[in-house]
Amino acid sequence: MTIPPTPNQLPTNPQSSAEQIPASVRSAPVLGGHDISTSTPTAAQSNSAKSWRFDVATPEDFQKYVQLSTQGAVIFGLYAPHSPASLEMLDAVENLVNAAEGAMLLAAVDITKLPEAAQAFGMDGVPASVAVIAGRPAPLYNGQISPQDLSEMLKQVLQLAVQYQLPGGFEPAPSEEEKTLPPLHAKALQALDERDYEGARAAYREALTENPGDHDAKVGLAQVDLLARVADLDLAQEREAAASDALNIEAAFNVADLDVIGGHVEDAYARLLRLFKSVSPEDKTRVRERLVQLFDVVGATDPRTVKARAELTTAIF
């Protein structure tokens, strides 16, 4: 299924500026009194744990959020996991959108999974963003811009929504606590609470059998495998073994696992990347597979994963 062009199709190469937003709104009052110009990640998070970011994964999702623009401004943030700049811009937009507390919402689009969205907006790369108000798109940026420029653009979007008499009032995304877990996921977490790693694995594998595209089950399985591997390890002993033999694959794996558990993700990735470059060709597959497992645990869009995956790809070729 393809995504049809949005109303008033955007130009192929939209400007990375606020000039696309009518000048008549630039002096209008800020919607709802929200001053997003002073928002920072810390300030936005301290004001509220709520988020108005929604992920757009299908053409149906795309159409849903375009239609929601008749209620208030919808900011489509286009990104790609391999682009740190696009992830950084998406985070910045999310913080400002959250600071508006429902006056607008963020529809986050991974263009590697939904390239039709970029085509519908006439965007040919990331980072990029388009505001849709009452079904009408207005490009915000196509490339990195400063936090000040981004804040000004979103203020103008809110002001334009005032002129369209769109109230906003979007409900936040459900929190992790509010989300209802699928039965097999709940079964896996219950098993984990009881340190029953095999039971947790079995539940996640069953979930993947029912739905091979269940991303959360795939990540959950990788996390269970990690927890099971480190359950009986001693960090000091493993570090000593790895230090005494730089090509000791099992010791390197164990230290990397423990580093990820301890939050030292960069150290874990760096260790295994060095190992990949040093081991014999027949061992490279093992090291690559362990790195990919850790990528799943940490998250594909995490900037540390994006960087490490790029370095691994370079090392392979």
Side-chain angles (χ1 to χ4, degrees), residues 2-299:
T2 59
I3 296 175
T6 56
N8 291 349
Q9 178 73 42
L10 297 183
T12 303
N13 295 304
Q15 295 291 323
S16 299
S17 73
E19 294 177 1
Q20 299 290 336
I21 296 182
S24 61
V25 306
R26 297 183 184 178
S27 59
V30 176
L31 182 62
H34 296 296
D35 183 6
I36 63 172
S37 62
T38 59
S39 297
T40 63
T42 301
Q45 292 165 4
S46 63
N47 287 338
S48 172
K50 296 178 181 179
S51 173
W52 280 265
R53 169 180 169 167
F54 297 82
D55 292 323
V56 177
T58 66
E60 291 76 14
D61 288 342
F62 182 88
Q63 289 300 326
K64 170 186 173 182
Y65 288 106
V66 168
Q67 291 167 6
L68 278 175
S69 71
T70 58
Q71 176 181 336
V74 176
I75 312 301
F76 283 85
L78 310 185
Y79 72 96
H82 62 265
S83 167
S86 71
L87 296 173
E88 180 182 340
M89 289 300 301
L90 188 68
D91 285 343
V93 173
E94 181 177 358
N95 286 319
L96 291 169
V97 167
N98 288 346
E101 298 181 331
M104 55 182 166
L105 64 77
L106 169 62
V109 184
D110 178 351
I111 66 167
T112 66
K113 296 180 179 178
L114 197 66
E116 302 99 316
Q119 294 165 7
F121 285 133
M123 294 295 189
D124 56 4
V126 291
S129 183
V130 176
V132 180
I133 304 173
R136 297 176 178 273
L140 298 179
Y141 59 79
N142 194 355
Q144 276 193 290
I145 61 172
S146 71
Q148 294 79 11
D149 286 344
L150 177 61
S151 175
E152 182 61 29
M153 287 180 186
L154 293 186
K155 284 168 62 180
Q156 292 172 14
V157 168
L158 289 175
Q159 292 160 2
L160 185 57
V162 169
Q163 288 205 340
Y164 275 81
Q165 298 182 341
L166 301 181
F170 294 111
E171 291 295 323
S175 66
E176 291 301 320
E177 293 77 12
E178 294 170 331
K179 294 177 181 177
T180 302
L181 284 176
L184 288 171
H185 289 242
K187 183 179 179 180
L189 291 180
Q190 179 62 39
L192 272 180
D193 287 342
E194 299 169 0
R195 296 177 65 84
D196 178 7
Y197 299 120
E198 282 306 315
R201 283 193 186 101
Y204 279 132
R205 284 171 180 157
E206 186 177 351
L208 284 169
T209 298
E210 290 184 358
N211 177 14
D214 188 339
H215 174 73
D216 289 341
K218 179 182 178 183
V219 172
L221 183 59
Q223 292 172 341
V224 171
D225 288 341
L226 174 61
L227 290 170
R229 291 196 302 264
V230 303
D232 299 317
L233 294 181
D234 180 278
L235 179 58
Q237 291 180 3
E238 298 301 331
R239 285 199 184 282
E240 183 178 352
S244 64
D245 181 1
L247 296 181
N248 184 331
I249 294 177
E250 289 304 323
F253 282 0
N254 291 341
V255 174
D257 284 347
L258 289 163
D259 276 344
V260 169
I261 289 290
H264 305 293
V265 174
E266 296 96 333
D267 293 341
Y269 286 167
R271 179 180 295 276
L272 294 188
L273 285 166
R274 287 195 301 270
L275 183 65
F276 180 85
K277 297 171 185 176
S278 303
V279 296
S280 62
E282 55 267 26
D283 287 326
K284 286 187 182 295
T285 298
R286 289 181 61 200
V287 180
R288 180 184 61 79
E289 289 175 348
R290 178 56 59 89
L291 266 168
V292 171
Q293 290 172 1
L294 294 183
F295 291 164
D296 287 339
V297 170
V298 177

